[in-house]
Amino acid sequence: MNTNISQWLEEKTGDTKRQMAIKLGQQPSTFNRNIETAEVIIAVCRAYNLNPVEGLLAAGLLEASEVNDAAAEASLKDVPETALLEEVLRRAAGRQNIDNVRKLQLVDDDPDYSNMSVEDARNYGLAAKKADPNIGPDDSPHEP
């Protein structure tokens, strides 16, 4: 843990530890004993409109790689699938050898499957061809 967190907090808030304790409604002696805990660091940061993550990083309670990984994962969950696919295609297009990259056509609406021809179904990858190597004998049990 970084022993300079009290100095970092004083520098960022512009207040002394005593002033921070009073602002948080704590006794200065209790505040000083607990200043290196995540709870106090977060409380001070929130009270002074500072980013608590920066305080936890400064204290050594979090590492930058942990924060970056969590942020990337959280933000990816909110990205629409089409945007993810477009990004994958953009990256693939920048590679030297893209022979093994299947060309995708993004459509806004699902096709009407009820009136789809066999050829259209094959174009969408929905119907198998007889020469498809993944097609084999049906091993599943059949009910009478």
Side-chain angles (χ1 to χ4, degrees):
M1 188 178 303
N2 186 345
T3 56
N4 293 324
I5 190 61
S6 61
Q7 183 180 15
W8 184 89
L9 288 170
E10 287 177 342
E11 188 177 294
K12 292 292 184 178
T13 64
D15 281 352
T16 64
K17 290 188 285 183
R18 179 176 175 72
Q19 291 168 321
M20 285 183 259
I22 292 169
K23 186 167 185 163
L24 293 178
Q26 294 183 3
Q27 292 293 322
S29 59
T30 303
F31 180 84
N32 284 331
R33 277 194 308 275
N34 297 309
I35 197 165
E36 292 186 354
T37 64
E39 292 81 9
V40 170
I41 294 167
I42 292 169
V44 171
C45 288
R46 288 181 176 159
Y48 287 87
N49 295 319
L50 300 171
N51 186 337
V53 174
E54 290 180 18
L56 295 172
L57 284 167
L61 296 172
L62 290 175
E63 294 189 20
S65 62
E66 295 168 323
V67 174
N68 291 336
D69 291 347
E73 184 177 325
S75 64
L76 279 177
K77 289 180 182 176
D78 296 329
V79 177
E81 287 84 4
T82 54
L84 288 172
L85 287 170
E86 288 169 352
E87 175 62 18
V88 169
L89 291 172
R90 185 191 64 75
R91 291 183 186 190
R95 287 195 271 156
Q96 293 290 329
N97 182 6
I98 60 170
D99 295 337
N100 61 345
V101 177
R102 181 178 176 189
K103 302 288 187 220
L104 294 178
Q105 181 181 8
L106 299 176
V107 292
D108 292 331
D109 297 320
D110 279 342
D112 182 6
Y113 298 114
S114 63
N115 297 323
M116 186 176 284
S117 69
V118 173
E119 185 61 34
D120 287 341
R122 287 186 178 141
N123 289 338
Y124 278 102
L126 301 173
K129 299 174 188 158
K130 287 184 179 180
D132 191 332
N134 294 323
I135 303 298
D138 186 3
D139 294 332
S140 59
H142 296 280
E143 295 182 22

